[in-house]
Amino acid sequence: MKNFMMGLARFMALLGGFVLTLLIVLTCISILGRLLNGFFHGPLMETMAPGFARWMIDLGVGPVNGDFELVESGVAFAIFAFIPLCQITAGHASVDILTNRFSAAVNRFLRMITEIVFAAVLILIAWKLYDGMLSKMRYNETSFLLQFPIWWAYAASLFGAVVAAVVGTYVAAVRIYEFGTGRIVIWDGVETGS
C-alpha cells in the first residue's frame, strides 16, 4: 500500500509540475506579447515602420487572451497536485522548537493528531469543491473572457483534492498504527518506494 500511495503522490506531483510549467510558459508568452504590443503601438514604430507595426498587431501580437483565467484555474489544480507528496513525505513546514523537547511517544501522539486533523480538512475541502462544482454546473457559469465552463476548473481541482484526501487519510492511518506500535512506517522527509 505504501508503494502505491507513494507512486500516486509522485504522479500527482509530476502532473502538477507539468501544469505549472505550462502556466509559466503561458505567462511568459503573454508578458512578451504585451511588451511587443506596446512597442508596436509606440511612437518609434509608428514613425519608423507603421506598416510593419500594423501588420504585427493585425497578426495578433499581444497578450494571451484570458491568460489570468487559465493561470487561476491551473494553479488551483497544481496546489492540490503537490499536497499528496508533501503529505506522505511529511514535507509540510513545522515549528518544532517546543516538540523537540518532548519524548518520542508524545511526538508520535502529536503527529497522529495532526495527521488526523489534516486528513479531515482535506476530506472537507474535497467535499466542498464537489458542492461548488455542482453549483457551477447547475448555473452554467463561465469565465469572463474565454467563456469556458468554470466547473472544469473545479473538476480539475477536485481530482487533486480527492487524491490529496486519499493520501492524507492513508498517512493518518499510518500515524495511528505508528502511535499504537511505536514502529515508524513513514519517515519524515523520505521519498523512498520501499
Side-chain angles (χ1 to χ4, degrees):
M1 180 64 101
K2 180 181 173 186
N3 290 338
F4 173 76
M5 289 296 176
M6 184 61 77
L8 181 61
R10 285 179 181 155
F11 169 75
M12 288 302 293
L14 287 171
L15 188 58
F18 178 73
V19 168
L20 201 53
T21 301
L22 289 178
L23 294 175
I24 290 168
V25 169
L26 171 75
T27 301
C28 291
I29 290 170
S30 188
I31 290 169
L32 181 63
R34 189 170 280 116
L35 287 171
L36 287 174
N37 188 282
F39 176 71
F40 291 133
H41 276 101
L44 178 67
M45 289 302 291
E46 289 292 329
T47 53
M48 290 183 66
F52 179 73
R54 175 63 25 216
W55 179 67
M56 290 300 285
I57 291 168
D58 289 343
L59 276 178
V61 172
V64 175
N65 188 34
D67 58 345
F68 64 92
E69 293 175 351
L70 295 172
V71 168
E72 181 180 44
S73 300
V75 166
F77 167 76
I79 289 169
F80 285 111
F82 294 131
I83 290 175
L85 186 60
C86 193
Q87 188 70 13
I88 202 164
T89 60
H92 297 290
S94 66
V95 180
D96 49 5
I97 294 170
L98 180 64
T99 58
N100 281 341
R101 299 173 194 263
F102 296 155
S103 68
V106 170
N107 278 317
R108 279 195 308 272
F109 176 75
L110 291 173
R111 182 174 304 183
M112 176 188 69
I113 295 301
T114 302
E115 296 297 347
I116 290 170
V117 170
F118 209 121
V121 168
L122 289 171
I123 291 168
L124 177 66
I125 289 170
W127 171 33
K128 297 320 283 175
L129 271 171
Y130 177 71
D131 285 348
M133 182 186 73
L134 292 180
S135 172
K136 301 300 178 192
M137 288 174 76
R138 189 170 34 255
Y139 294 109
N140 295 319
E141 288 186 48
T142 59
S143 66
F144 182 69
L145 293 174
L146 296 179
Q147 296 294 305
F148 70 82
I150 292 177
W151 73 265
W152 291 355
Y154 273 76
S157 294
L158 177 62
F159 172 68
V162 167
V163 173
V166 167
V167 171
T169 302
Y170 166 74
V171 172
V174 166
R175 298 303 184 202
I176 292 169
Y177 172 79
E178 289 177 349
F179 176 71
T181 63
R183 183 175 167 262
I184 302 296
V185 176
I186 298 176
W187 293 91
D188 289 355
V190 177
E191 192 183 329
T192 62
S194 57

